[in-house]
Short mmCIF file of all heavy atoms in Angstrom, two decimals:
data_model
loop_
_atom_site.label_atom_id
_atom_site.label_comp_id
_atom_site.label_asym_id
_atom_site.label_seq_id
_atom_site.Cartn_x
_atom_site.Cartn_y
_atom_site.Cartn_z
N MET Z 20 0.84 -1.22 -0.01
CA MET Z 20 -0.01 -0.01 0.00
C MET Z 20 0.90 1.29 -0.05
O MET Z 20 0.54 2.21 -0.66
CB MET Z 20 -0.89 -0.05 1.21
CG MET Z 20 -1.82 1.14 1.30
SD MET Z 20 -3.06 0.88 2.54
CE MET Z 20 -4.10 2.27 2.21
N PHE Z 21 1.97 1.26 0.71
CA PHE Z 21 2.86 2.38 0.76
C PHE Z 21 4.15 2.11 -0.01
O PHE Z 21 4.62 0.98 0.05
CB PHE Z 21 3.14 2.85 2.19
CG PHE Z 21 1.89 3.42 2.85
CD1 PHE Z 21 1.16 2.59 3.70
CD2 PHE Z 21 1.47 4.72 2.64
CE1 PHE Z 21 0.00 3.13 4.24
CE2 PHE Z 21 0.35 5.21 3.19
CZ PHE Z 21 -0.42 4.41 4.03
N PRO Z 22 4.77 2.98 -0.63
CA PRO Z 22 4.40 4.41 -0.65
C PRO Z 22 3.30 4.69 -1.57
O PRO Z 22 2.98 3.95 -2.48
CB PRO Z 22 5.67 5.12 -1.17
CG PRO Z 22 6.30 4.04 -2.01
CD PRO Z 22 5.99 2.72 -1.37
N ILE Z 23 2.55 5.91 -1.35
CA ILE Z 23 1.67 6.39 -2.30
C ILE Z 23 2.37 7.47 -3.06
O ILE Z 23 2.70 8.54 -2.51
CB ILE Z 23 0.38 6.89 -1.56
CG1 ILE Z 23 -0.34 5.77 -0.90
CG2 ILE Z 23 -0.56 7.65 -2.65
CD1 ILE Z 23 -1.48 6.19 -0.06
N LEU Z 24 2.65 7.19 -4.29
CA LEU Z 24 3.51 8.02 -5.13
C LEU Z 24 2.76 9.31 -5.54
O LEU Z 24 1.60 9.44 -5.44
CB LEU Z 24 3.99 7.24 -6.42
CG LEU Z 24 4.75 5.99 -6.07
CD1 LEU Z 24 5.08 5.24 -7.39
CD2 LEU Z 24 6.00 6.30 -5.30
N PRO Z 25 3.56 10.34 -5.95
CA PRO Z 25 2.96 11.63 -6.26
C PRO Z 25 1.84 11.50 -7.29
O PRO Z 25 1.95 10.77 -8.31
CB PRO Z 25 4.10 12.42 -6.92
CG PRO Z 25 5.36 11.82 -6.27
CD PRO Z 25 5.07 10.35 -6.15
N HIS Z 26 0.69 12.17 -6.91
CA HIS Z 26 -0.45 12.13 -7.79
C HIS Z 26 -1.32 13.37 -7.40
O HIS Z 26 -1.03 14.12 -6.44
CB HIS Z 26 -1.28 10.86 -7.62
CG HIS Z 26 -1.84 10.73 -6.22
ND1 HIS Z 26 -1.10 10.38 -5.11
CD2 HIS Z 26 -3.11 10.82 -5.75
CE1 HIS Z 26 -1.84 10.33 -4.05
NE2 HIS Z 26 -3.05 10.62 -4.42
N TRP Z 27 -2.44 13.65 -8.10
CA TRP Z 27 -3.39 14.72 -7.73
C TRP Z 27 -4.73 14.27 -8.12
O TRP Z 27 -4.95 13.30 -8.85
CB TRP Z 27 -2.92 16.02 -8.33
CG TRP Z 27 -2.88 16.06 -9.83
CD1 TRP Z 27 -1.83 15.68 -10.62
CD2 TRP Z 27 -3.95 16.41 -10.73
NE1 TRP Z 27 -2.12 15.83 -11.96
CE2 TRP Z 27 -3.49 16.20 -12.02
CE3 TRP Z 27 -5.29 16.75 -10.49
CZ2 TRP Z 27 -4.25 16.46 -13.11
CZ3 TRP Z 27 -6.07 17.01 -11.65
CH2 TRP Z 27 -5.54 16.89 -12.90
N HIS Z 28 -5.75 15.12 -7.57
CA HIS Z 28 -7.14 14.82 -7.90
C HIS Z 28 -7.84 16.16 -8.23
O HIS Z 28 -7.34 17.25 -7.91
CB HIS Z 28 -7.91 14.27 -6.66
CG HIS Z 28 -7.15 13.16 -5.96
ND1 HIS Z 28 -7.17 11.89 -6.30
CD2 HIS Z 28 -6.40 13.24 -4.82
CE1 HIS Z 28 -6.49 11.13 -5.46
NE2 HIS Z 28 -5.99 11.98 -4.59
N TYR Z 29 -9.07 16.05 -8.75
CA TYR Z 29 -9.89 17.21 -8.98
C TYR Z 29 -10.74 17.60 -7.67
O TYR Z 29 -11.52 18.46 -7.77
CB TYR Z 29 -10.81 16.98 -10.10
CG TYR Z 29 -10.15 17.15 -11.51
CD1 TYR Z 29 -9.91 16.04 -12.22
CD2 TYR Z 29 -9.68 18.32 -11.90
CE1 TYR Z 29 -9.33 16.14 -13.52
CE2 TYR Z 29 -9.10 18.52 -13.14
CZ TYR Z 29 -8.86 17.37 -13.89
OH TYR Z 29 -8.26 17.46 -15.13
N PHE Z 30 -10.55 16.87 -6.61
CA PHE Z 30 -11.31 17.08 -5.43
C PHE Z 30 -10.43 17.30 -4.18
O PHE Z 30 -9.17 17.21 -4.29
CB PHE Z 30 -12.21 15.81 -5.14
CG PHE Z 30 -11.47 14.55 -5.24
CD1 PHE Z 30 -10.68 14.08 -4.07
CD2 PHE Z 30 -11.59 13.69 -6.24
CE1 PHE Z 30 -9.95 12.87 -4.13
CE2 PHE Z 30 -10.92 12.44 -6.33
CZ PHE Z 30 -10.12 12.10 -5.22
N VAL Z 31 -11.01 17.80 -3.15
CA VAL Z 31 -10.29 18.01 -1.87
C VAL Z 31 -10.11 16.70 -1.17
O VAL Z 31 -11.01 15.83 -1.16
CB VAL Z 31 -11.09 19.03 -1.00
CG1 VAL Z 31 -10.44 19.14 0.35
CG2 VAL Z 31 -11.21 20.32 -1.59
N GLU Z 32 -8.97 16.51 -0.58
CA GLU Z 32 -8.70 15.28 0.19
C GLU Z 32 -8.20 15.72 1.53
O GLU Z 32 -7.17 16.47 1.63
CB GLU Z 32 -7.69 14.37 -0.56
CG GLU Z 32 -7.43 13.10 0.16
CD GLU Z 32 -6.48 12.10 -0.61
OE1 GLU Z 32 -6.02 12.50 -1.66
OE2 GLU Z 32 -6.31 11.05 -0.15
N ILE Z 33 -8.76 15.19 2.64
CA ILE Z 33 -8.34 15.49 3.98
C ILE Z 33 -7.88 14.18 4.65
O ILE Z 33 -8.62 13.22 4.62
CB ILE Z 33 -9.44 16.14 4.87
CG1 ILE Z 33 -9.90 17.38 4.16
CG2 ILE Z 33 -9.01 16.37 6.21
CD1 ILE Z 33 -11.17 18.00 4.73
N LEU Z 34 -6.68 14.19 5.22
CA LEU Z 34 -6.12 12.97 5.99
C LEU Z 34 -6.06 13.35 7.46
O LEU Z 34 -5.55 14.44 7.78
CB LEU Z 34 -4.71 12.73 5.50
CG LEU Z 34 -4.54 11.68 4.41
CD1 LEU Z 34 -5.19 12.08 3.09
CD2 LEU Z 34 -3.09 11.43 4.19
N TYR Z 35 -6.52 12.41 8.23
CA TYR Z 35 -6.35 12.54 9.71
C TYR Z 35 -5.63 11.34 10.21
O TYR Z 35 -6.03 10.18 10.05
CB TYR Z 35 -7.76 12.64 10.41
CG TYR Z 35 -7.67 12.63 11.90
CD1 TYR Z 35 -7.26 13.77 12.54
CD2 TYR Z 35 -7.93 11.52 12.62
CE1 TYR Z 35 -7.17 13.88 13.90
CE2 TYR Z 35 -7.73 11.55 14.06
CZ TYR Z 35 -7.36 12.68 14.65
OH TYR Z 35 -7.25 12.78 16.04
N MET Z 36 -4.37 11.58 10.68
CA MET Z 36 -3.53 10.43 11.12
C MET Z 36 -4.04 9.80 12.39
O MET Z 36 -4.33 10.47 13.39
CB MET Z 36 -2.10 10.95 11.39
CG MET Z 36 -1.37 11.26 10.11
SD MET Z 36 -1.08 9.92 9.10
CE MET Z 36 0.05 8.89 10.10
N VAL Z 37 -4.14 8.51 12.43
CA VAL Z 37 -4.60 7.78 13.58
C VAL Z 37 -3.49 6.97 14.22
O VAL Z 37 -3.35 6.86 15.46
CB VAL Z 37 -5.71 6.80 13.16
CG1 VAL Z 37 -6.14 5.89 14.36
CG2 VAL Z 37 -6.88 7.47 12.60
N GLU Z 38 -2.53 6.44 13.41
CA GLU Z 38 -1.52 5.54 13.92
C GLU Z 38 -0.30 5.68 12.99
O GLU Z 38 -0.31 5.79 11.79
CB GLU Z 38 -2.02 4.16 13.89
CG GLU Z 38 -1.25 3.14 14.70
CD GLU Z 38 -1.98 1.80 14.70
OE1 GLU Z 38 -3.16 1.74 15.14
OE2 GLU Z 38 -1.46 0.81 14.22
N GLY Z 39 0.95 5.56 13.55
CA GLY Z 39 2.18 5.60 12.89
C GLY Z 39 2.66 6.98 12.56
O GLY Z 39 2.13 8.00 12.97
N THR Z 40 3.68 7.01 11.71
CA THR Z 40 4.32 8.35 11.31
C THR Z 40 4.45 8.28 9.81
O THR Z 40 4.91 7.32 9.24
CB THR Z 40 5.71 8.53 11.91
OG1 THR Z 40 5.53 8.50 13.35
CG2 THR Z 40 6.26 9.86 11.62
N ALA Z 41 3.99 9.43 9.15
CA ALA Z 41 4.11 9.52 7.73
C ALA Z 41 4.88 10.73 7.29
O ALA Z 41 4.84 11.75 7.95
CB ALA Z 41 2.65 9.58 7.08
N TYR Z 42 5.62 10.53 6.20
CA TYR Z 42 6.28 11.63 5.53
C TYR Z 42 5.44 12.06 4.36
O TYR Z 42 5.15 11.15 3.55
CB TYR Z 42 7.73 11.25 5.12
CG TYR Z 42 8.38 12.34 4.26
CD1 TYR Z 42 9.00 13.37 4.87
CD2 TYR Z 42 8.48 12.21 2.89
CE1 TYR Z 42 9.62 14.33 4.13
CE2 TYR Z 42 9.14 13.13 2.20
CZ TYR Z 42 9.71 14.24 2.80
OH TYR Z 42 10.37 15.19 2.05
N VAL Z 43 5.04 13.34 4.27
CA VAL Z 43 4.07 13.75 3.26
C VAL Z 43 4.65 14.88 2.44
O VAL Z 43 5.15 15.80 2.99
CB VAL Z 43 2.74 14.15 3.95
CG1 VAL Z 43 1.80 14.72 2.85
CG2 VAL Z 43 2.08 13.03 4.70
N GLU Z 44 4.52 14.75 1.16
CA GLU Z 44 4.86 15.82 0.19
C GLU Z 44 3.56 16.43 -0.29
O GLU Z 44 2.70 15.66 -0.69
CB GLU Z 44 5.68 15.24 -0.97
CG GLU Z 44 6.99 14.63 -0.61
CD GLU Z 44 7.75 13.94 -1.69
OE1 GLU Z 44 7.07 13.81 -2.81
OE2 GLU Z 44 8.82 13.52 -1.56
N ALA Z 45 3.44 17.68 -0.12
CA ALA Z 45 2.21 18.38 -0.49
C ALA Z 45 2.58 19.67 -1.27
O ALA Z 45 3.03 20.64 -0.70
CB ALA Z 45 1.33 18.71 0.71
N GLY Z 46 2.42 19.64 -2.61
CA GLY Z 46 2.92 20.75 -3.44
C GLY Z 46 4.43 20.86 -3.25
O GLY Z 46 5.15 19.87 -3.37
N GLU Z 47 4.82 22.04 -2.88
CA GLU Z 47 6.22 22.27 -2.65
C GLU Z 47 6.70 22.04 -1.20
O GLU Z 47 7.87 22.29 -0.90
CB GLU Z 47 6.60 23.76 -3.09
CG GLU Z 47 6.34 24.09 -4.56
CD GLU Z 47 7.17 23.32 -5.43
OE1 GLU Z 47 8.37 23.14 -5.19
OE2 GLU Z 47 6.69 22.76 -6.48
N GLU Z 48 5.80 21.71 -0.38
CA GLU Z 48 6.08 21.52 1.14
C GLU Z 48 6.23 20.05 1.53
O GLU Z 48 5.67 19.18 0.91
CB GLU Z 48 5.00 22.20 1.90
CG GLU Z 48 4.73 23.68 1.64
CD GLU Z 48 5.92 24.52 1.98
OE1 GLU Z 48 6.54 24.24 3.08
OE2 GLU Z 48 6.16 25.56 1.36
N ASN Z 49 6.94 19.87 2.64
CA ASN Z 49 7.09 18.44 3.13
C ASN Z 49 6.73 18.54 4.64
O ASN Z 49 7.09 19.47 5.30
CB ASN Z 49 8.55 18.03 3.05
CG ASN Z 49 9.00 17.98 1.57
OD1 ASN Z 49 8.29 17.38 0.73
ND2 ASN Z 49 10.10 18.54 1.24
N TYR Z 50 6.05 17.44 5.10
CA TYR Z 50 5.60 17.42 6.47
C TYR Z 50 5.83 15.99 7.05
O TYR Z 50 5.85 15.00 6.32
CB TYR Z 50 4.13 17.72 6.52
CG TYR Z 50 3.73 18.99 5.92
CD1 TYR Z 50 3.31 19.11 4.59
CD2 TYR Z 50 3.77 20.17 6.71
CE1 TYR Z 50 2.92 20.30 4.07
CE2 TYR Z 50 3.41 21.33 6.17
CZ TYR Z 50 3.05 21.43 4.79
OH TYR Z 50 2.64 22.65 4.27
N VAL Z 51 5.98 15.87 8.36
CA VAL Z 51 5.94 14.63 9.02
C VAL Z 51 4.65 14.66 9.94
O VAL Z 51 4.43 15.57 10.70
CB VAL Z 51 7.11 14.51 10.00
CG1 VAL Z 51 7.04 13.26 10.84
CG2 VAL Z 51 8.50 14.48 9.22
N LEU Z 52 3.81 13.71 9.66
CA LEU Z 52 2.49 13.58 10.33
C LEU Z 52 2.58 12.46 11.33
O LEU Z 52 2.98 11.37 11.05
CB LEU Z 52 1.39 13.34 9.27
CG LEU Z 52 1.13 14.33 8.22
CD1 LEU Z 52 -0.11 13.97 7.39
CD2 LEU Z 52 0.94 15.76 8.76
N GLU Z 53 1.97 12.76 12.44
CA GLU Z 53 1.85 11.76 13.56
C GLU Z 53 0.44 11.74 14.05
O GLU Z 53 -0.41 12.58 13.70
CB GLU Z 53 2.77 12.16 14.74
CG GLU Z 53 4.27 12.18 14.27
CD GLU Z 53 5.12 12.66 15.44
OE1 GLU Z 53 4.77 13.54 16.22
OE2 GLU Z 53 6.30 12.20 15.49
N PRO Z 54 0.08 10.76 14.92
CA PRO Z 54 -1.36 10.63 15.31
C PRO Z 54 -1.91 11.97 15.88
O PRO Z 54 -1.25 12.62 16.64
CB PRO Z 54 -1.28 9.59 16.45
CG PRO Z 54 -0.14 8.69 15.96
CD PRO Z 54 0.88 9.67 15.39
N GLY Z 55 -3.12 12.27 15.43
CA GLY Z 55 -3.67 13.57 15.75
C GLY Z 55 -3.47 14.71 14.80
O GLY Z 55 -4.17 15.69 14.86
N ASP Z 56 -2.58 14.49 13.91
CA ASP Z 56 -2.38 15.54 12.84
C ASP Z 56 -3.37 15.39 11.65
O ASP Z 56 -3.88 14.28 11.37
CB ASP Z 56 -0.93 15.36 12.28
CG ASP Z 56 0.16 15.78 13.24
OD1 ASP Z 56 -0.20 16.50 14.18
OD2 ASP Z 56 1.31 15.42 13.04
N LEU Z 57 -3.62 16.54 11.02
CA LEU Z 57 -4.60 16.55 9.91
C LEU Z 57 -3.89 17.38 8.78
O LEU Z 57 -3.31 18.37 9.11
CB LEU Z 57 -5.88 17.19 10.37
CG LEU Z 57 -6.94 17.31 9.37
CD1 LEU Z 57 -8.30 17.06 10.03
CD2 LEU Z 57 -7.03 18.73 8.75
N ILE Z 58 -4.14 16.96 7.57
CA ILE Z 58 -3.58 17.71 6.40
C ILE Z 58 -4.67 17.78 5.37
O ILE Z 58 -5.51 16.91 5.18
CB ILE Z 58 -2.28 17.14 5.85
CG1 ILE Z 58 -1.69 18.05 4.87
CG2 ILE Z 58 -2.51 15.77 5.29
CD1 ILE Z 58 -0.18 17.76 4.57
N VAL Z 59 -4.73 18.89 4.61
CA VAL Z 59 -5.69 19.13 3.61
C VAL Z 59 -4.87 19.23 2.27
O VAL Z 59 -3.96 20.02 2.15
CB VAL Z 59 -6.56 20.39 3.76
CG1 VAL Z 59 -7.47 20.66 2.56
CG2 VAL Z 59 -7.35 20.33 5.10
N PHE Z 60 -5.30 18.44 1.22
CA PHE Z 60 -4.75 18.55 -0.13
C PHE Z 60 -5.91 19.17 -0.93
O PHE Z 60 -6.92 18.68 -1.14
CB PHE Z 60 -4.43 17.16 -0.64
CG PHE Z 60 -3.47 16.34 0.17
CD1 PHE Z 60 -3.83 15.17 0.59
CD2 PHE Z 60 -2.19 16.92 0.42
CE1 PHE Z 60 -2.94 14.39 1.44
CE2 PHE Z 60 -1.30 16.14 1.23
CZ PHE Z 60 -1.70 14.92 1.68
N TYR Z 61 -5.60 20.38 -1.56
CA TYR Z 61 -6.52 21.04 -2.36
C TYR Z 61 -6.56 20.39 -3.67
O TYR Z 61 -5.70 19.72 -4.15
CB TYR Z 61 -6.18 22.53 -2.42
CG TYR Z 61 -6.26 23.23 -1.09
CD1 TYR Z 61 -5.06 23.56 -0.40
CD2 TYR Z 61 -7.49 23.51 -0.51
CE1 TYR Z 61 -5.24 24.13 0.87
CE2 TYR Z 61 -7.54 24.10 0.79
CZ TYR Z 61 -6.43 24.39 1.42
OH TYR Z 61 -6.49 24.94 2.61
N PRO Z 62 -7.68 20.68 -4.50
CA PRO Z 62 -7.77 20.15 -5.84
C PRO Z 62 -6.55 20.53 -6.67
O PRO Z 62 -5.97 21.61 -6.62
CB PRO Z 62 -8.97 20.83 -6.39
CG PRO Z 62 -9.86 21.14 -5.27
CD PRO Z 62 -8.86 21.53 -4.11
N GLN Z 63 -6.08 19.53 -7.39
CA GLN Z 63 -4.87 19.56 -8.35
C GLN Z 63 -3.56 19.89 -7.61
O GLN Z 63 -2.64 20.20 -8.21
CB GLN Z 63 -5.16 20.63 -9.37
CG GLN Z 63 -6.39 20.35 -10.23
CD GLN Z 63 -6.58 21.34 -11.32
OE1 GLN Z 63 -5.64 21.85 -11.86
NE2 GLN Z 63 -7.82 21.56 -11.68
N MET Z 64 -3.49 19.64 -6.26
CA MET Z 64 -2.27 19.73 -5.50
C MET Z 64 -1.58 18.36 -5.54
O MET Z 64 -2.12 17.43 -5.09
CB MET Z 64 -2.52 20.13 -4.09
CG MET Z 64 -1.19 20.10 -3.21
SD MET Z 64 -1.53 20.41 -1.52
CE MET Z 64 -1.66 22.20 -1.45
N THR Z 65 -0.40 18.33 -6.12
CA THR Z 65 0.34 17.11 -6.13
C THR Z 65 0.78 16.70 -4.64
O THR Z 65 1.19 17.54 -3.95
CB THR Z 65 1.66 17.23 -6.99
OG1 THR Z 65 1.29 17.63 -8.36
CG2 THR Z 65 2.43 15.92 -7.03
N HIS Z 66 0.52 15.41 -4.40
CA HIS Z 66 0.90 14.97 -3.00
C HIS Z 66 1.29 13.54 -3.03
O HIS Z 66 0.94 12.81 -3.97
CB HIS Z 66 -0.30 15.20 -2.04
CG HIS Z 66 -1.61 14.50 -2.46
ND1 HIS Z 66 -2.40 15.06 -3.46
CD2 HIS Z 66 -2.15 13.44 -2.07
CE1 HIS Z 66 -3.45 14.28 -3.59
NE2 HIS Z 66 -3.34 13.27 -2.76
N ALA Z 67 2.06 13.11 -2.03
CA ALA Z 67 2.54 11.76 -1.93
C ALA Z 67 2.66 11.43 -0.40
O ALA Z 67 2.89 12.33 0.42
CB ALA Z 67 3.90 11.61 -2.54
N ILE Z 68 2.63 10.11 -0.03
CA ILE Z 68 2.62 9.73 1.33
C ILE Z 68 3.58 8.55 1.49
O ILE Z 68 3.44 7.55 0.76
CB ILE Z 68 1.20 9.27 1.90
CG1 ILE Z 68 0.22 10.41 1.65
CG2 ILE Z 68 1.24 8.87 3.30
CD1 ILE Z 68 -1.19 10.03 1.80
N TYR Z 69 4.54 8.63 2.40
CA TYR Z 69 5.53 7.57 2.69
C TYR Z 69 5.47 7.26 4.14
O TYR Z 69 5.28 8.12 4.98
CB TYR Z 69 6.88 8.05 2.26
CG TYR Z 69 7.01 8.61 0.87
CD1 TYR Z 69 6.76 9.98 0.55
CD2 TYR Z 69 7.24 7.77 -0.23
CE1 TYR Z 69 6.82 10.46 -0.75
CE2 TYR Z 69 7.31 8.24 -1.50
CZ TYR Z 69 7.14 9.59 -1.78
OH TYR Z 69 7.14 10.02 -3.04
N SER Z 70 5.84 5.93 4.41
CA SER Z 70 5.93 5.50 5.79
C SER Z 70 7.26 6.11 6.36
O SER Z 70 8.31 6.10 5.64
CB SER Z 70 5.96 3.99 5.87
OG SER Z 70 6.21 3.63 7.12
N ALA Z 71 7.19 6.61 7.58
CA ALA Z 71 8.41 7.24 8.20
C ALA Z 71 8.79 6.62 9.52
O ALA Z 71 9.48 7.28 10.31
CB ALA Z 71 8.15 8.77 8.36
N GLY Z 72 8.27 5.46 9.78
CA GLY Z 72 8.58 4.81 11.03
C GLY Z 72 8.39 3.33 11.03
O GLY Z 72 8.12 2.72 9.99
N GLN Z 73 8.53 2.70 12.21
CA GLN Z 73 8.38 1.26 12.30
C GLN Z 73 6.94 0.75 12.28
O GLN Z 73 6.58 -0.32 11.78
CB GLN Z 73 9.15 0.80 13.61
CG GLN Z 73 10.52 1.13 13.62
CD GLN Z 73 11.32 0.21 12.71
OE1 GLN Z 73 10.98 -0.90 12.44
NE2 GLN Z 73 12.54 0.70 12.26
N LEU Z 74 6.02 1.52 12.84
CA LEU Z 74 4.60 1.19 13.02
C LEU Z 74 3.89 1.39 11.67
O LEU Z 74 4.34 2.18 10.85
CB LEU Z 74 3.95 1.98 14.09
CG LEU Z 74 4.46 1.83 15.47
CD1 LEU Z 74 3.69 2.85 16.31
CD2 LEU Z 74 4.28 0.40 15.98
N PRO Z 75 2.90 0.54 11.40
CA PRO Z 75 2.04 0.69 10.23
C PRO Z 75 1.41 2.14 10.34
O PRO Z 75 1.12 2.64 11.34
CB PRO Z 75 1.03 -0.42 10.23
CG PRO Z 75 1.46 -1.30 11.35
CD PRO Z 75 2.42 -0.56 12.24
N ILE Z 76 1.15 2.70 9.12
CA ILE Z 76 0.39 3.95 9.01
C ILE Z 76 -1.05 3.64 8.89
O ILE Z 76 -1.50 2.73 8.19
CB ILE Z 76 0.80 4.79 7.76
CG1 ILE Z 76 2.31 5.06 7.85
CG2 ILE Z 76 -0.01 6.00 7.67
CD1 ILE Z 76 2.83 5.67 6.60
N ARG Z 77 -1.91 4.37 9.70
CA ARG Z 77 -3.39 4.21 9.61
C ARG Z 77 -3.91 5.60 9.64
O ARG Z 77 -3.57 6.43 10.59
CB ARG Z 77 -3.89 3.45 10.67
CG ARG Z 77 -5.37 3.03 10.49
CD ARG Z 77 -5.78 1.90 11.35
NE ARG Z 77 -5.78 2.22 12.76
CZ ARG Z 77 -6.93 2.59 13.45
NH1 ARG Z 77 -8.03 2.65 12.77
NH2 ARG Z 77 -6.80 2.95 14.70
N TYR Z 78 -4.74 5.97 8.77
CA TYR Z 78 -5.38 7.33 8.70
C TYR Z 78 -6.83 7.25 8.14
O TYR Z 78 -7.16 6.28 7.40
CB TYR Z 78 -4.53 8.31 7.95
CG TYR Z 78 -4.17 7.94 6.56
CD1 TYR Z 78 -5.07 8.23 5.49
CD2 TYR Z 78 -2.99 7.34 6.26
CE1 TYR Z 78 -4.74 7.91 4.18
CE2 TYR Z 78 -2.64 7.08 4.95
CZ TYR Z 78 -3.57 7.22 3.96
OH TYR Z 78 -3.21 6.98 2.68
N TYR Z 79 -7.59 8.26 8.49
CA TYR Z 79 -8.93 8.45 7.89
C TYR Z 79 -8.80 9.39 6.70
O TYR Z 79 -8.01 10.35 6.79
CB TYR Z 79 -9.93 8.91 8.89
CG TYR Z 79 -10.15 8.02 10.01
CD1 TYR Z 79 -9.89 8.41 11.40
CD2 TYR Z 79 -10.58 6.67 9.86
CE1 TYR Z 79 -10.08 7.59 12.38
CE2 TYR Z 79 -10.80 5.82 10.91
CZ TYR Z 79 -10.54 6.27 12.21
OH TYR Z 79 -10.75 5.46 13.28
N VAL Z 80 -9.64 9.18 5.72
CA VAL Z 80 -9.63 10.03 4.52
C VAL Z 80 -11.00 10.59 4.26
O VAL Z 80 -11.97 9.80 4.27
CB VAL Z 80 -9.10 9.30 3.30
CG1 VAL Z 80 -9.10 10.26 2.07
CG2 VAL Z 80 -7.74 8.76 3.45
N LEU Z 81 -11.13 11.80 3.98
CA LEU Z 81 -12.39 12.47 3.57
C LEU Z 81 -12.11 13.10 2.15
O LEU Z 81 -11.19 13.89 2.08
CB LEU Z 81 -12.85 13.52 4.52
CG LEU Z 81 -14.11 14.30 4.10
CD1 LEU Z 81 -15.26 13.39 4.03
CD2 LEU Z 81 -14.42 15.39 5.18
N LYS Z 82 -12.85 12.69 1.19
CA LYS Z 82 -12.71 13.32 -0.10
C LYS Z 82 -13.98 13.88 -0.60
O LYS Z 82 -15.05 13.32 -0.42
CB LYS Z 82 -12.26 12.27 -1.16
CG LYS Z 82 -10.94 11.55 -0.83
CD LYS Z 82 -10.69 10.45 -1.83
CE LYS Z 82 -9.44 9.66 -1.48
NZ LYS Z 82 -9.09 8.66 -2.41
N PHE Z 83 -13.91 15.09 -1.19
CA PHE Z 83 -15.13 15.66 -1.66
C PHE Z 83 -14.84 16.70 -2.74
O PHE Z 83 -13.68 17.34 -2.79
CB PHE Z 83 -16.04 16.35 -0.58
CG PHE Z 83 -15.33 17.55 0.18
CD1 PHE Z 83 -15.45 18.79 -0.26
CD2 PHE Z 83 -14.49 17.23 1.24
CE1 PHE Z 83 -14.81 19.81 0.46
CE2 PHE Z 83 -13.85 18.27 1.96
CZ PHE Z 83 -14.04 19.54 1.47
N ASP Z 84 -15.77 16.97 -3.65
CA ASP Z 84 -15.65 17.91 -4.73
C ASP Z 84 -16.30 19.27 -4.24
O ASP Z 84 -17.51 19.29 -4.02
CB ASP Z 84 -16.35 17.42 -6.00
CG ASP Z 84 -16.07 18.27 -7.16
OD1 ASP Z 84 -15.76 19.46 -6.98
OD2 ASP Z 84 -16.33 17.85 -8.30
N PRO Z 85 -15.52 20.29 -4.00
CA PRO Z 85 -16.12 21.55 -3.51
C PRO Z 85 -17.19 22.15 -4.42
O PRO Z 85 -18.00 22.92 -3.96
CB PRO Z 85 -14.91 22.49 -3.32
CG PRO Z 85 -13.79 21.88 -4.15
CD PRO Z 85 -14.06 20.38 -4.30
N VAL Z 86 -17.15 21.83 -5.72
CA VAL Z 86 -18.15 22.27 -6.65
C VAL Z 86 -19.56 21.85 -6.20
O VAL Z 86 -20.49 22.53 -6.49
CB VAL Z 86 -17.82 21.83 -8.11
CG1 VAL Z 86 -18.92 22.16 -9.06
CG2 VAL Z 86 -16.50 22.37 -8.56
N HIS Z 87 -19.67 20.66 -5.52
CA HIS Z 87 -20.93 20.09 -5.21
C HIS Z 87 -21.42 20.47 -3.81
O HIS Z 87 -22.40 19.93 -3.30
CB HIS Z 87 -20.96 18.69 -5.39
CG HIS Z 87 -20.69 18.18 -6.85
ND1 HIS Z 87 -21.62 18.44 -7.83
CD2 HIS Z 87 -19.63 17.70 -7.42
CE1 HIS Z 87 -21.15 17.98 -8.93
NE2 HIS Z 87 -19.91 17.50 -8.74
N LEU Z 88 -20.69 21.34 -3.05
CA LEU Z 88 -21.06 21.76 -1.81
C LEU Z 88 -22.29 22.75 -1.86
O LEU Z 88 -22.25 23.58 -2.70
CB LEU Z 88 -19.97 22.45 -1.01
CG LEU Z 88 -18.83 21.56 -0.57
CD1 LEU Z 88 -17.73 22.42 0.11
CD2 LEU Z 88 -19.25 20.43 0.32
N VAL Z 89 -23.23 22.54 -1.00
CA VAL Z 89 -24.39 23.46 -0.98
C VAL Z 89 -24.28 24.23 0.21
O VAL Z 89 -24.22 23.60 1.39
CB VAL Z 89 -25.71 22.56 -1.02
CG1 VAL Z 89 -26.94 23.58 -0.97
CG2 VAL Z 89 -25.80 21.73 -2.25
N LEU Z 90 -24.36 25.55 0.13
CA LEU Z 90 -24.22 26.37 1.33
C LEU Z 90 -25.55 26.93 1.71
O LEU Z 90 -26.43 27.14 0.96
CB LEU Z 90 -23.23 27.52 1.04
CG LEU Z 90 -21.86 27.14 0.68
CD1 LEU Z 90 -20.99 28.30 0.36
CD2 LEU Z 90 -21.23 26.38 1.91
#
């Protein structure tokens, strides 16, 4: 499953880390995510996720197309 190589989507993707440590590339920025951290990938933002520790990575994902949001 990992690594998740660089890619992008037409929708918003939100990751909430539950377990493990991940190294994340998001656009031109790099982050280390640990349990309790949250990151947002905006539409067409290139991003990648790599394991950065001994424990397995576990996270929740929410994906949605902002065009279809009703306010």
Side-chain angles (χ1 to χ4, degrees):
M20 180 170 189
F21 291 98
I23 297 177
L24 299 177
H26 66 285
W27 60 271
H28 315 278
Y29 283 110
F30 48 80
V31 173
E32 182 174 6
I33 299 172
L34 266 61
Y35 177 76
M36 288 294 295
V37 177
E38 198 174 299
T40 303
Y42 173 77
V43 176
E44 298 171 354
E47 300 294 318
E48 302 294 325
N49 299 311
Y50 303 94
V51 175
L52 300 183
E53 297 177 329
D56 290 340
L57 180 140
I58 190 166
V59 177
F60 303 122
Y61 296 105
Q63 300 183 32
M64 173 186 279
T65 302
H66 57 282
I68 305 168
Y69 306 91
S70 178
Q73 299 288 331
L74 297 175
I76 298 172
R77 193 164 67 97
Y78 55 84
Y79 297 122
V80 179
L81 175 64
K82 300 177 183 183
F83 62 92
D84 186 343
V86 173
H87 297 290
L88 291 178
V89 179
L90 301 177

